[in-house]
Amino acid sequence: MDKLQKATSGLPVQENTKKILASALSENTLRGYRGCLAALSSWLGDRSLDDVLLAEYLTHLHEVGRSPGTIAKVVSAVRWRAKYSGNSDLELTLTNGVLAGIRREGKDRGRGQVDGLTWAQVERVCAFAESDRTVAGLRDSAMIRLMSDCLLRVAEVVAVDISDFEKQTLLIRKSKTDQTGIGESLYVGEDTRKILTRYRTGASITEGALFRRIRRGDHIQRQRLTCQSARQIIVKRANAAGFDGFISGHSLRVGSAVSLAQAGASVVNMQEAGRWKSPQMPAHYARAELAERGAIARYKYGKSG
C-alpha cells in the first residue's frame, strides 16, 4: 500500500481530494499517526472510541511512561482521522482536560519507560511504610503489597471492598480487560494478608471500601482513596525508601512482570498474571530478563533458564 492509500484509507472522499490530503502531511507524520491509531485500536479491542475511553487511554500511556509529546500525538491522530472522515463534531472535553494535566505533570519527562518495583524492592518500600507505626503506614503497605501480588491497576485497587476477599483470593469484579464484569479471582500472599488484617484492625474497617482516606493523626474517613491519591502514595513511599527514578502507579505491575521473568515465568504466564490482552506488554517490560534466557544466552553461552 503506497503513501496515498495508507493516509486516506477508509476516508469518504474522492481520489483527487485524497491526493491533496496525502500531500498535506509529511510521510513521517502520517507514519506516526498510523502507528498511534493502530495502538489505540489494539487497546480498545471491540469497544467504540469515545471521549471517556480516549481519556483513559491517555492516562494509561502516561502511567507507563510515555512523554506528553507522544501522548499529544495520539490526540492529533484521532482529530485528523475524525476531521477527514466527516466527524467534525467530535467532542473531546474530558480528553483535553486529561492531556492538559499530563503536560503539567510530565513537563520534565523524557521518553523513558516507567521504572518497575520488583518484589524485593516492594519489601523494602513496605518495610519503610510500616516503620511509621501508623495506620496510614499500614494502609500504604497493604495497598502496595496487594498491587504487587495481584498486578493490580490503580483504578482496580482503589475499588476494592472488604467483601471482595475470600480466604486467599481477591475478586476483581470489573477491570479494563473485563468490561462485562465476569470477574477474576487472584491469589493474595500470606505476608500481604497479614498486613491487610493489621490495617483493617487498626482502622476498624469491617465493611465497604478497603483503602480509605486518612486524615492527619490517623483519623479514618469513609471515602475511598482516589486514583490520584493512590498514585501519590506509591511515589511518596518509593521515594522514602530510596527509589527516586520514574515511579508511577504502573510501577508495581511492571515490577511484578520483571520479577516473574526473573523467577523463570514464561511470557504467557506473565500475560495471565497481569490479565494483559496480548503478550506484547509483559514481554516489553521484562525484555532484559527474557533476553538473558534467550537462545544466544542458552546455546552459545550455556546459561540455564
Side-chain angles (χ1 to χ4, degrees):
M1 185 179 289
D2 61 21
K3 173 182 174 182
L4 171 62
Q5 291 173 313
K6 289 178 180 177
T8 59
S9 176
L11 302 186
V13 293
Q14 297 180 353
E15 290 303 316
N16 58 342
T17 303
K18 288 184 179 182
K19 291 180 181 179
I20 296 175
L21 289 176
S23 63
L25 298 174
S26 70
E27 176 61 30
N28 286 338
T29 299
L30 290 172
R31 187 182 300 113
Y33 281 4
R34 290 196 298 271
C36 289
L37 294 171
L40 172 59
S41 178
S42 176
W43 181 85
L44 284 169
D46 57 1
R47 295 174 294 175
S48 298
L49 181 65
D50 58 22
D51 188 19
V52 173
L53 284 176
L54 183 55
E56 289 182 1
Y57 181 61
L58 300 192
T59 301
H60 161 72
L61 294 179
H62 179 65
E63 289 186 339
V64 300
R66 300 298 174 83
S67 69
T70 298
I71 296 172
K73 186 186 292 184
V74 175
V75 181
S76 296
V78 169
R79 289 188 183 282
W80 181 83
R81 183 175 64 179
K83 181 178 180 180
Y84 295 111
S85 62
N87 188 16
S88 58
D89 295 329
L90 180 66
E91 278 289 339
L92 297 180
T93 304
L94 183 59
T95 294
N96 291 336
V98 168
L99 182 58
I102 286 171
R103 282 173 166 151
R104 285 194 299 273
E105 286 191 7
K107 59 180 182 297
D108 298 321
R109 181 185 297 181
R111 293 177 176 267
Q113 176 182 294
V114 62
D115 291 325
L117 289 171
T118 63
W119 295 337
Q121 291 169 333
V122 164
E123 287 299 321
R124 177 179 171 85
V125 170
C126 292
F128 270 81
E130 292 160 26
S131 69
D132 285 358
R133 298 186 181 278
T134 62
V135 176
L138 290 174
R139 176 201 63 187
D140 297 352
S141 175
M143 183 184 76
I144 290 170
R145 287 179 182 275
L146 189 64
M147 292 180 73
S148 179
D149 278 8
C150 300
L151 283 79
L152 298 182
R153 301 172 178 89
V154 171
E156 293 170 344
V157 78
V158 298
V160 171
D161 289 333
I162 300 297
S163 59
D164 294 335
F165 291 92
E166 182 176 352
K167 296 182 179 180
Q168 300 179 0
T169 61
L170 167 69
L171 174 63
I172 298 298
R173 299 185 184 280
K174 189 175 182 180
S175 69
K176 184 175 70 176
T177 52
D178 178 25
Q179 293 296 310
T180 58
I182 296 175
E184 186 165 0
S185 293
L186 307 173
Y187 179 74
V188 180
E190 183 179 0
D191 289 344
T192 301
R193 297 197 303 272
K194 287 179 179 178
I195 295 298
L196 281 165
T197 299
R198 287 177 58 191
Y199 160 58
R200 286 183 53 188
T201 301
S204 299
I205 298 175
T206 58
E207 61 182 3
L210 175 59
F211 297 113
R212 304 185 183 189
R213 300 179 186 180
I214 300 179
R215 291 171 54 193
R216 185 169 298 180
D218 275 346
H219 296 291
I220 316 301
Q221 308 298 295
R222 295 186 61 85
Q223 303 96 329
R224 69 177 71 240
L225 286 176
T226 64
C227 289
Q228 181 179 1
S229 296
R231 294 187 187 102
Q232 291 172 344
I233 288 169
I234 294 166
V235 174
K236 171 188 172 183
R237 293 299 185 180
N239 290 166
F243 300 108
D244 56 0
F246 177 23
I247 304 298
S248 82
H250 209 64
S251 291
L252 296 158
R253 277 172 66 79
V254 173
S256 282
V258 170
S259 293
L260 283 167
Q262 291 172 340
S266 68
V267 174
V268 173
N269 292 151
M270 290 184 279
Q271 179 187 351
E272 291 175 348
R275 294 161 292 127
W276 280 287
K277 284 187 175 181
S278 77
Q280 294 178 339
M281 290 309 295
H284 174 68
Y285 296 146
R287 59 193 181 280
E289 288 71 22
L290 293 173
E292 293 178 2
R293 291 160 41 200
I296 293 297
R298 284 183 291 146
Y299 298 116
K300 184 175 182 178
Y301 294 101
K303 287 190 175 184
S304 60

